Amino acid sequence: MEHLKVIAFTHKHVDLKDLGNLVICNEELESRLINVKNNFDIEEIFYVGTCNRVEFIFHGKHTLTDEFVKNFLRGLNFCVPDEQFDQFLNQVTTYEGLDALQHLFRMSCSLESLVVGEKEILAQVRRAYERCRLSGLTGDFMRLMMNSLVKTAKEVYTHTMISRNPVSVVSLAYRKLKDLKFADNPRILLVGAGETNQNISKYLQKHKFSNFVVFNRTPDKARRLAKELNGRAFPLSELRNYKEGFDILITCTGSTEPVITPAIYETLLNGESSKKIIVDLAVPNDVAAEVIADHPIHYIEVSGLQAIANRNLQERYNELIHAEKIIESNVAEFLPILKQRKVEIAMRQVPEKVKEIKSFALNTVFANELSSLDASSREVLEKVINYMEKKYISGPMVLAKEILITKSKEVTEN
């Protein structure tokens, strides 16, 4: 348990605009994680990157000293200036052992989210883990931990009201959007066809919007979303050529550079001078700062939702207490599960050893005596030996597990 580590950057300490510099694009994820896994002799690792956190979870024998954290992050090859890198080092949060486990449970139950009670984080953590598992970056410890983590989150969402009328970043953005004045059936450009834009599209559909154009790097995804919206689809490369105007621009891509540059924005305006609405849910922002500064825009971005999220946190305070108790209970349950698994691994050789002893006894030590037995007597003896073999294999394992469970309960009670 003491080998579980977390290196985290979250909205609590890092400006969301800066956090985008730590996001690893999908194309580079496996290679960069494999690099640090091998260089630092880490047993298992996975990465979680969302709109308000970037976290590296791993299992290894390292102590998270300032020097190790610095070298670890250097090994991930973030393309940021030295001055900004040093700033990130001052904003990092680290967890080890039980503290790390409690943090991960709290994170997956949305207790540490920008909007407490939103369920998106659990799905994001599960997808992040699954990707790393399929890449061979995780193993037995992370598997057990994820099982307990998912169980805990489901209990929190089921037995508390923390997610009643959930307010996700997407729904917060939509609430701000619908408070603005715009045409009855506005022209809506969706840049990006990922989960975030898919989710906000569901809100738009409920309110009878129907004039959609979707742009995405992968044309197939653009076409699928456009089909659901009865809209049109184009590859992202065609955005710079689009000249049909818009009223609302909603963008969320995985790009680390602005997608809506001043030049592209001018083309999208196509000479129109009315005030436009932009919902930018990307981290880092998809819209260049110059666009916001030089044009009349109602601009909605993730970092601007912080005040609403804080009010949300206060409203759900009583539910947090209940959720914390569920987490505490599941942390206590996880420790004997982990110890039982260690016993199972340590005793994997027991069956083979018992079989070897049995074979040696029958074929060497007592070979002469056995040769004098009749078939009936030999059959009875083999039944007795087979019975004893099974008991010698299962008995010690069951006893060891019971001892571990008893000791774990005693530690918890004391």
Side-chain angles (χ1 to χ4, degrees), residues 339-387:
K339 289 178 180 179
Q340 286 176 37
R341 183 56 181 161
K342 286 184 177 180
V343 169
E344 291 171 359
I345 293 173
M347 299 187 74
R348 277 175 177 170
Q349 295 182 348
V350 170
E352 290 302 319
K353 289 295 182 183
V354 171
K355 291 180 186 296
E356 287 178 14
I357 293 170
K358 169 189 169 183
S359 177
F360 184 72
L362 293 176
N363 299 316
T364 303
V365 179
F366 301 106
N368 292 333
E369 290 87 338
L370 290 172
S371 64
S372 64
L373 295 178
D374 58 44
S376 178
S377 299
R378 188 178 181 93
E379 182 181 354
V380 172
L381 180 60
E382 286 181 355
K383 287 181 179 179
V384 172
I385 292 174
N386 289 336
Y387 175 81

Side-chain angles (χ1 to χ4, degrees), residues 239 246 249 251 258-269 274-280 285-299:
L239 186 63
F246 72 97
L249 170 63
T251 180
V259 173
I260 311 299
T261 62
I264 287 178
Y265 191 73
E266 290 289 349
T267 301
L268 293 176
L269 287 175
S274 58
K275 196 170 188 176
K276 303 300 182 181
I277 298 172
I278 296 181
V279 181
D280 187 350
N285 290 343
D286 278 340
V287 181
E290 297 89 340
V291 172
I292 302 164
D294 297 341
H295 297 275
I297 294 170
H298 288 293
Y299 187 58

Side-chain angles (χ1 to χ4, degrees), residues 35-72:
N35 184 51
V36 293
K37 185 177 187 291
N38 293 337
N39 289 346
F40 295 95
D41 193 25
I42 292 171
E43 298 167 13
E44 306 178 44
I45 187 170
F46 77 99
Y47 155 91
V48 175
T50 74
C51 64
N52 56 53
R53 68 182 59 252
V54 168
E55 303 202 13
F56 300 92
I57 301 102
F58 63 93
H59 194 254
K61 299 178 181 179
H62 310 280
T63 301
L64 296 185
T65 62
D66 291 346
E67 188 65 20
F68 175 83
V69 172
K70 180 178 180 179
N71 291 334
F72 178 91

Side-chain angles (χ1 to χ4, degrees), residues 192-221:
E195 182 180 7
T196 299
N197 274 1
Q198 290 173 29
N199 288 338
I200 202 166
S201 296
K202 293 175 183 176
Y203 286 100
L204 297 168
Q205 279 183 300
K206 285 181 181 179
H207 290 82
K208 310 303 181 184
F209 295 113
S210 59
N211 193 349
F212 294 97
V213 177
V214 182
F215 292 87
N216 192 65
R217 196 177 306 278
T218 307
D220 284 345
K221 289 186 70 175

Side-chain angles (χ1 to χ4, degrees), residues 5-6 33 42 85 108 123 169 178 192 196 201 205 214 223-224 245 251 265 274 287 300 318 334 355 366 375 384 393:
K5 321 286 182 182
V6 178
L33 291 183
I42 292 171
F85 182 81
S108 298
V169 169
K178 73 176 184 178
T196 299
S201 296
Q205 279 183 300
V214 182
R223 284 191 287 269
R224 284 197 295 271
T251 180
Y265 191 73
S274 58
V287 181
I300 300 170
N318 291 334
F334 178 71
K355 291 180 186 296
F366 301 106
V384 172
I393 291 173

Side-chain angles (χ1 to χ4, degrees), residues 101-107 109-111 152-153 155-156 320 322-333:
L101 185 67
Q102 289 168 343
H103 162 73
L104 293 172
F105 279 19
R106 285 175 54 83
M107 175 184 71
C109 295
S110 86
L111 270 63
T152 303
E155 288 179 6
V156 166
L320 288 178
H322 191 183
E324 294 280 11
K325 290 180 180 178
I326 294 174
I327 291 172
E328 182 181 347
S329 173
N330 277 276
V331 167
E333 287 180 11

